[in-house]
Amino acid sequence: MDLILEGLWSLAEAGVQLLLQPFYYISIIVVLLIYRRQVVLERRLFHVRLHSWGLQTWRTVLAGLLAGLAVSVVFVFLGMNLTMEGILCLWAVTIVLMLFRIRYLCLAYSVGILGLIQFGLNLFPGFAGSGFVGDVVRIVRELDIPALLCLVGLLHLVEGMLVRWQGASFAGPLFYEGKRGKLIGGYQMQSLWPVPLFLLIPAQTTGGVLPWTPLFGGDAWQGGFGLMALPIVLGFSEMTMGLLPKDKARISSGRLLGYGAVITVLALLTAWWSPLLPVAALAAFVLHEALIWLSRFEEQQRSPLFVHPQGGLKVLAVLPGSPAEELGIRAGESIVKVNGVPVPTKEDLHAALRINPAFCKLEVLNLAGESKFLQRAIYAGDHHQLGAILAPDELAPAAVRLQPLSLLQLLRPRTSARVVRGARGATPAPQREARAGGGAPAAADGPAAEA
């Protein structure tokens, strides 16, 4: 009973510690800025809002809390040697990396880099440095890299499950410039989860000793135990033009689960045989980058899905609560006839809808190429395209330029999309370029990224 009370007291102290640290709030603010940026892009491209950045932020914060509790329960049996100085060191490296790419928020990069630095320092055991350098050297030497690598692996296992659960639901449609300058439709899938961790650490206390010995920490557990709060961010960003978001999320989820399993095994082997440290540390970010490269390569090889077929209009997205959603129209399907009239262009669609302003009948080709016939009354105030966002055509006035996204760019979301010339010779008024890398990296940086 005393051990349970001591554990609850340690949990309460860790909760207060979490609330006093700025990093958890910083991560929530970064999440909010990314979702706000997504809404700004939707308004500029489609003049509507498909998502609520407030609701998205709340859902990811709640999911991150559940993920953090799950990982914390596992670490009750694994344990970790971690100090407040170690946490500051991790976050310092992470913030510096984040200035270059948002996706470098991922713990795999900071832990991998610190693991290699620690390995290099261990090659020169006599080097201690002085002053600030000496403090940094000491902190890096004391980091429990095998335990941190195990944490990276477990977090990616949890992330894989979160992507399977929420990855597709936050996908935002965008217009991209495809090969040879042609505009095509696609999705930017981005989700970030602030994850508060409560890690079991050895501590010198006057309380009881654990009835089990956690895997990491060794004899240090004989002096007692405590809990330490460690706020981190899990993130996922994918760009897809050749698959539906749910299919892309399923593929990415499987690969994240595989990556997490590999890193977890390497971390456990490193705890058993320390010379494996540089291999495990290097694998943490090399395999992570390999996932990004593989996803980008596959995306380049696929045929675009969201382009208009001959004699029809491809649906890129459907507004929530719109007539199109009530009719059962899905992203990736094609509208071929409205009120019995073929609709090869958007102008034809608008004209066909005006044939009967109170009612409409549609012929739609589903993803299997089969026809389905839909009908519905039209009411005042309904969206002029029934709530269907169509893939871009040659007259689309703007598209998103893909490029890496840094923290500084998140603070300037109201940039316009890049202007393209209309096929009929109409030249839109000049606007500023959009710096839309797509959340935690997009295509130019690699579409599969966890922050």
Side-chain angles (χ1 to χ4, degrees):
M1 187 65 181
D2 291 340
L3 188 64
I4 295 176
L5 293 176
E6 184 176 354
L8 293 175
W9 178 253
S10 297
L11 180 61
E13 289 182 332
V16 173
Q17 185 184 91
L18 176 71
L19 296 177
L20 294 178
Q21 292 185 33
F23 307 118
Y24 188 57
Y25 306 113
I26 290 173
S27 64
I28 294 177
I29 291 173
V30 170
V31 170
L32 187 149
L33 288 174
I34 284 183
Y35 290 145
R36 173 174 170 262
R37 185 173 183 275
Q38 178 181 347
V39 171
V40 168
L41 285 174
E42 290 172 354
R43 286 191 178 278
R44 290 208 57 84
L45 290 175
F46 312 117
H47 308 292
V48 294
R49 186 186 69 179
L50 282 85
H51 297 91
S52 167
W53 56 265
L55 179 60
Q56 285 179 292
T57 301
W58 166 248
R59 287 181 60 189
T60 52
V61 169
L62 179 59
L65 176 61
L66 295 176
L69 292 176
V71 175
S72 299
V73 169
V74 175
F75 258 83
V76 167
F77 303 97
L78 295 178
M80 176 182 291
N81 273 317
L82 187 64
T83 63
M84 182 56 66
E85 291 177 329
I87 291 179
L88 293 174
C89 182
L90 281 172
W91 268 97
V93 174
T94 301
I95 290 174
V96 170
L97 292 174
M98 187 176 63
L99 294 176
F100 298 95
R101 299 285 185 273
I102 287 295
R103 66 184 172 92
Y104 292 159
L105 261 172
C106 180
L107 200 63
Y109 294 99
S110 54
V111 172
I113 289 173
L114 288 170
L116 292 176
I117 294 174
Q118 185 187 83
F119 176 75
L121 290 174
N122 290 339
L123 295 177
F124 304 94
F127 177 73
S130 59
F132 176 75
V133 174
D135 291 336
V136 172
V137 169
R138 175 183 56 80
I139 293 171
V140 173
R141 287 187 188 275
E142 292 175 352
L143 288 175
D144 191 352
I145 297 298
L148 288 171
L149 286 171
C150 188
L151 178 62
V152 168
L154 291 175
L155 286 173
H156 279 82
L157 289 173
V158 170
E159 183 180 350
M161 291 183 281
L162 288 174
V163 169
R164 185 69 61 95
W165 176 28
Q166 290 185 333
S169 62
F170 294 158
L174 293 175
F175 293 165
Y176 298 98
E177 183 176 358
K179 298 177 182 178
R180 301 169 186 167
K182 182 178 180 181
L183 294 185
I184 58 178
Y187 277 86
Q188 179 63 43
M189 305 163 58
Q190 49 190 13
S191 300
L192 283 88
W193 298 277
V195 178
L197 297 173
F198 301 96
L199 302 177
L200 189 71
I201 60 172
Q204 295 297 324
T205 66
T206 57
V209 178
L210 291 173
W212 68 91
T213 301
L215 178 64
F216 300 102
D219 295 336
W221 296 103
Q222 300 304 314
F225 69 94
L227 288 174
M228 174 168 285
L230 174 62
I232 60 99
V233 177
L234 291 179
F236 164 75
S237 180
E238 282 277 12
M239 179 272 297
T240 178
M241 301 178 189
L243 293 173
L244 291 174
K246 62 180 181 180
D247 297 326
K248 189 76 169 183
R250 185 178 64 254
I251 293 172
S252 299
S253 172
R255 289 174 178 171
L256 286 171
L257 291 172
Y259 171 84
V262 169
I263 299 303
T264 301
V265 170
L266 285 175
L268 296 176
L269 291 176
T270 300
W272 172 65
W273 193 49
S274 58
L276 278 176
L277 174 61
V279 176
L282 193 62
F285 59 82
V286 169
L287 292 180
H288 204 279
E289 289 294 299
L291 291 180
I292 296 170
W293 177 87
L294 178 60
S295 182
R296 177 174 57 186
F297 175 78
E298 288 179 340
E299 197 61 42
Q300 291 172 347
Q301 301 304 309
R302 292 191 182 100
S303 298
L305 175 62
F306 299 102
V307 295
H308 296 303
Q310 187 70 28
L313 296 171
K314 181 72 71 172
V315 176
L316 174 61
V318 175
L319 294 177
S322 66
E325 185 179 59
E326 294 178 14
L327 285 166
I329 298 175
R330 301 288 180 261
E333 297 182 337
S334 300
I335 302 174
V336 293
K337 286 185 180 181
V338 175
N339 291 325
V341 178
V343 287
T345 68
K346 294 180 181 179
E347 291 78 8
D348 294 324
L349 171 65
H350 299 155
L353 286 172
R354 288 195 295 269
I355 293 176
N356 187 345
F359 197 80
C360 67
K361 294 182 179 181
L362 288 78
E363 181 181 345
V364 177
L365 294 181
N366 61 20
L367 295 173
E370 301 171 345
S371 294
K372 60 180 185 180
F373 299 92
L374 312 170
Q375 57 184 8
R376 181 188 184 275
I378 298 179
Y379 303 100
D382 281 348
H383 190 270
H384 67 286
Q385 292 178 172
L386 302 178
I389 295 177
L390 303 176
D393 55 21
E394 66 275 9
L395 296 180
V400 168
R401 167 172 288 181
L402 297 174
Q403 68 178 48
L405 182 65
S406 68
L407 176 62
L408 298 178
Q409 290 169 336
L410 279 180
L411 303 177
R412 299 182 301 165
R414 295 187 177 277
T415 53
S416 303
R418 188 184 61 80
V419 172
V420 296
R421 184 179 297 271
R424 298 181 183 177
T427 305
Q431 302 175 9
R432 292 177 296 168
E433 287 186 348
R435 301 185 180 275
D445 214 15
E450 298 77 43

